[in-house]
Amino acid sequence: MSVNDTSTTSPLAQNKHLATHIPVLAIDGPGGAGKGTISRLAASRLGWHYLDSGALYRILAYAGSLQGVDLQDENALSQLAGKLDIRFGIGSDEGVWLDGEEISDQIRTEQAGAAASRVAALPLVREALLQQQKAFRRSPGLVADGRDMGTVVFPDATVKVFLTASVEERAQRRYNQLIAKGIDGKLCDLLADIQARDERDSNRSVAPLRPAADAVLIDTSQMGINEVLITVLNLINLQTP
Ligand code: DC
């Protein structure tokens, strides 16, 4: 074999080739449609890895605020994205750590969601987080939850699902979650927040929230968690041996 022999695949290309054979279940949709719940349950049933891509945007916005970075400063935020020391715990260790500190509750507030939605609209930020998201694709499979999993991050996903629900239903679910946690909230405020976030996520210039052409649309407004989970698992079972 000569050094110029281009017929031999490089280790990097081989890894890429292998990675594309690892199945991905992409679950996209607006906030509050049940993506997080369904994705976690599906990952646990399948024994696959789980990517909560929204958490990455939330963590970046949180870290940026802590460090006094202007949340519109695309360059500073994209540089910060490459330096974050993030750990996702699973099972009994479930949670999110940033630089060794648990920040699970801090990134789950409505405010953190709105800040995440703002930084997520910046093209350089999305580019900076792209490789980190792709690296979650590991054997035996990945369930990826977000807005652009099926359109941008894993366009070759094995199954693409777009979960949606009416805005009223999503606000009601969020309200019930807050009440269960003992947090007070106003349904009308939650509805307005969700509408504003939908608007921003759907109308940004890069990777806007929309179903991939080959996604299966599931409206969960009138469905229970188990029914949605079974529907999603059936789709993946049909596609994987
Ligand atoms: O899924 P979530 O609510 O945790 O996401 C928070 C915000 O992050 C959401 O409003 C838009 C953004 N996001 C995104 O732009 N792309 C993703 N793949 C995931 C989230």
Side-chain angles (χ1 to χ4, degrees):
M1 182 184 75
S2 89
V3 285
N4 292 324
D5 186 351
T6 51
S7 65
T8 311
T9 320
S10 73
L12 185 67
Q14 274 174 15
N15 279 346
K16 272 194 177 164
H17 179 71
L18 285 176
T20 56
H21 281 78
I22 296 171
V24 175
L25 165 58
I27 304 190
D28 289 306
K35 288 179 302 176
T37 307
I38 296 300
S39 302
R40 278 191 189 86
L41 288 170
S44 154
R45 286 281 186 92
L46 293 163
W48 288 7
H49 299 279
Y50 168 55
L51 165 62
D52 175 359
S53 63
L56 295 176
Y57 293 98
R58 287 172 182 263
I59 294 167
L60 178 62
Y62 175 78
S65 310
L66 273 191
Q67 299 191 15
V69 174
D70 176 354
L71 293 190
Q72 291 180 342
D73 186 340
E74 208 173 341
N75 284 311
L77 285 168
S78 61
Q79 278 174 27
L80 181 60
K83 293 186 203 141
L84 298 176
D85 174 15
I86 300 170
R87 187 172 77 79
F88 287 104
I90 48 163
S92 56
D93 188 32
E94 190 166 319
V96 180
W97 280 259
L98 174 66
D99 297 328
E101 188 203 338
E102 217 215 311
I103 55 159
S104 317
D105 289 341
Q106 289 92 316
I107 63 159
R108 288 291 149 209
T109 63
E110 290 305 307
Q111 232 181 348
S117 164
R118 283 198 190 91
V119 304
L122 304 170
L124 287 181
V125 163
R126 302 200 73 85
E127 203 180 301
L129 290 175
L130 190 60
Q131 287 313 319
Q132 294 188 33
Q133 294 175 80
K134 286 182 185 281
F136 275 78
R137 188 175 197 167
R138 292 194 308 263
S139 191
L142 175 69
V143 180
D145 147 7
R147 304 288 187 287
D148 61 342
M149 298 297 98
T151 49
V152 176
V153 184
F154 303 109
D156 63 337
T158 322
V159 169
K160 300 177 187 177
V161 169
F162 194 85
L163 280 194
T164 140
S166 69
V167 66
E168 292 80 12
E169 176 63 26
R170 289 186 282 131
Q172 186 65 53
R173 287 179 191 170
R174 185 75 188 122
Y175 180 76
N176 296 346
Q177 279 172 352
L178 290 178
I179 296 295
K181 283 187 189 164
I183 304 170
D184 217 10
K186 274 200 192 143
L187 193 57
C188 57
D189 290 348
L190 291 172
L191 193 83
D193 287 349
I194 288 179
Q195 277 170 330
R197 196 128 73 89
D198 282 358
E199 174 83 14
R200 194 165 32 232
D201 293 347
S202 307
N203 293 320
R204 65 185 176 217
S205 61
V206 276
L209 167 67
R210 68 181 49 138
D214 48 351
V216 176
L217 263 69
I218 304 177
D219 185 333
T220 69
S221 304
Q222 307 292 327
M223 291 171 84
I225 292 173
N226 220 27
E227 198 183 347
V228 181
L229 180 63
I230 290 169
T231 309
V232 169
L233 290 176
N234 281 342
L235 289 170
I236 203 83
N237 288 337
L238 287 173
Q239 296 299 327
T240 48

